[in-house]
Amino acid sequence: MLTTIMLSVPGIAQERPELKFHADGTFKILQLTDIHMQHLNEASQKAIKNIHTMLDLEKPDFVVITGDVIFAAPGEPGLQRVLEPLISRRVPYAVTWGNHDNNDCDMSRREMQDYVQKQPFNLGFRVDGLKGESVFNIPVRSGRNSNVAFVIWCMDSGAGSTVEGVKGYGWITPEQIEWYNRESRTFTKTNHDVPVPSLAFYHIPVPEYDDATCAGEPRWVGHKLEHVACPQLNSGFFAATKINGDVMGHFCGHEHNNDFVAMWHGIMLAYGRFSGGNTVYNDLDYNGGRVIILREGVREFETYVRLRNGDIIEHVYYPELVRKIED
């Protein structure tokens, strides 16, 4: 459910929706990830068809794209093709950036964020003075009043290591975590000192994804066909969300052949379903997306993978990671 507010942005009249729970207390999020768009490559048409299919089948209230959006120049028309299905359907969305978004394109990460911020129905923004182009929070208001009933956190996991002597992928920085801690405490204080139920989205998995799948007997649902390609340093974002007590689940992308969900210290760690085309490796049967259905006023949600052929798989519930029993 949404209402829209018209904003004045140089060169464009932008509609900025306000997210709200439906009267029945539900709110649906669609996660798309690793689209790896190549505007001049016909193989990307599979990714665009997938986006249209996901939107038509699920009719989400909000879409979050968790990185590796553009995989080759030209970047701007590639972004246009990715966002057009959302804008034409008036679906609110936000984008977090991945490690390929500033390595394989003719646009910098900042230029991509500048472009997206000018588009209708985008809810992502840049926090002044904070390192990272896609670090922001989006409140979802109650369906009964104007109170914030839920918070969507988007973080920027970077690209590669920025520390000398440390190889591998980037991470959510200490500065971002400090910002999250401040913002989280503010939401909690406003909510009568009760943490506001939340979810976190970013591209590169935190090291706890690896911990959760390597600690004794496996307890996950879904496909784990690749090693968890997390950073070599743990910057502490998962620990911060556990301590603050607001975030119920983390959602990432990055590995195209993983779509599993696991539980770790009472928090769900989930991969999105690969949403791209054949511009990069992908060995699962179908591309698709991950769907999350929230319920207002309770620390519960359900999530499943929707495939491009229409099937629903891996339907589970938080907090128990219990599979749905299909009729």
Side-chain angles (χ1 to χ4, degrees):
M1 179 178 180
L2 63 95
T3 56
T4 57
I5 302 171
M6 297 300 295
L7 295 182
S8 177
V9 177
I12 188 168
Q14 182 179 3
E15 295 184 71
R16 183 177 176 84
E18 183 177 74
L19 304 181
K20 294 191 70 173
F21 279 88
H22 293 279
D24 67 357
T26 63
F27 186 87
K28 182 185 287 188
I29 298 171
L30 170 65
Q31 179 195 5
L32 301 172
T33 196
D34 293 83
I35 295 168
H36 284 274
M37 180 70 195
Q38 291 184 340
H39 177 61
L40 301 179
N41 188 342
E42 184 61 27
S44 275
Q45 187 59 26
K46 180 179 177 181
I48 301 304
K49 288 181 178 179
N50 180 59
I51 296 173
H52 282 285
T53 299
M54 292 299 105
L55 295 174
D56 290 342
L57 290 175
E58 289 294 341
K59 297 178 174 54
D61 299 303
F62 173 71
V63 172
V64 57
I65 303 175
T66 51
D68 283 4
V69 186
I70 302 298
F71 197 46
E76 187 168 310
L79 284 171
Q80 288 175 348
R81 287 182 65 189
V82 170
L83 298 181
E84 187 279 330
L86 298 150
I87 294 171
S88 64
R89 290 171 175 80
R90 303 174 65 85
V91 178
Y93 63 89
V95 180
T96 66
W97 302 109
N99 51 293
H100 283 286
D101 289 313
N102 60 334
N103 294 335
D104 300 301
C105 185
D106 56 348
M107 299 173 73
S108 69
R109 213 179 183 91
R110 174 164 286 266
E111 288 171 331
M112 289 189 194
Q113 183 65 25
D114 287 341
Y115 176 84
V116 172
Q117 286 187 186
K118 294 178 182 178
Q119 305 311 307
F121 304 103
N122 164 64
L123 295 183
F125 56 92
R126 182 186 296 111
V127 175
D128 290 340
L130 186 63
K131 186 176 181 180
E133 297 300 322
S134 52
V135 187
F136 48 87
N137 57 56
I138 303 169
V140 183
R141 300 198 178 272
S142 169
R144 301 184 295 268
N145 52 49
S146 62
N147 294 342
V148 174
F150 202 92
V151 180
I152 297 167
W153 300 91
C154 290
M155 311 298 284
D156 193 329
S157 55
S161 169
T162 56
V163 176
E164 185 177 356
V166 178
K167 298 180 180 180
Y169 291 108
W171 48 80
I172 297 167
T173 65
E175 293 80 8
Q176 291 183 50
I177 298 170
E178 290 174 6
W179 168 83
Y180 156 73
N181 283 332
R182 290 194 303 270
E183 294 281 304
S184 175
R185 287 192 291 266
T186 298
F187 280 116
T188 296
K189 184 176 180 180
T190 304
N191 195 41
H192 308 290
D193 293 324
V194 177
V196 178
S198 306
L199 298 177
F201 295 87
Y202 45 86
H203 182 69
I204 299 172
V206 295
E208 283 80 3
Y209 276 78
D210 196 35
D211 296 338
T213 55
C214 294
E217 181 182 351
R219 190 182 176 213
W220 70 77
V221 174
H223 297 88
K224 183 181 184 293
L225 305 182
E226 294 183 74
H227 175 70
V228 174
C230 57
Q232 294 185 18
L233 292 184
N234 191 331
S235 61
F237 181 58
F238 178 89
T241 63
K242 179 62 180 177
I243 291 167
N244 288 340
D246 52 354
V247 173
M248 299 183 292
H250 290 231
F251 295 81
C252 73
H254 196 44
E255 276 92 70
H256 307 168
N257 292 335
N258 289 345
D259 66 2
F260 68 82
V261 297
M263 293 298 297
W264 190 242
H265 297 295
I267 295 176
M268 180 179 284
L269 299 174
Y271 276 89
R273 178 75 174 204
F274 175 72
S275 307
N278 292 330
T279 58
V280 285
Y281 79 94
N282 57 104
D283 300 313
L284 300 176
D285 290 339
Y286 293 95
N287 55 2
R290 175 167 291 284
V291 178
I292 306 130
I293 301 176
L294 310 176
R295 288 178 175 79
E296 182 178 352
V298 295
R299 292 185 61 83
E300 300 173 4
F301 64 89
E302 61 186 282
T303 182
Y304 54 84
V305 167
R306 171 72 82 167
L307 302 180
R308 186 168 52 88
N309 71 346
D311 288 351
I312 290 175
I313 61 172
E314 302 165 19
H315 196 156
V316 297
Y317 291 85
Y318 174 92
E320 299 300 330
L321 196 60
V322 174
R323 284 181 182 269
K324 176 178 175 147
I325 299 175
E326 302 294 345
D327 295 333

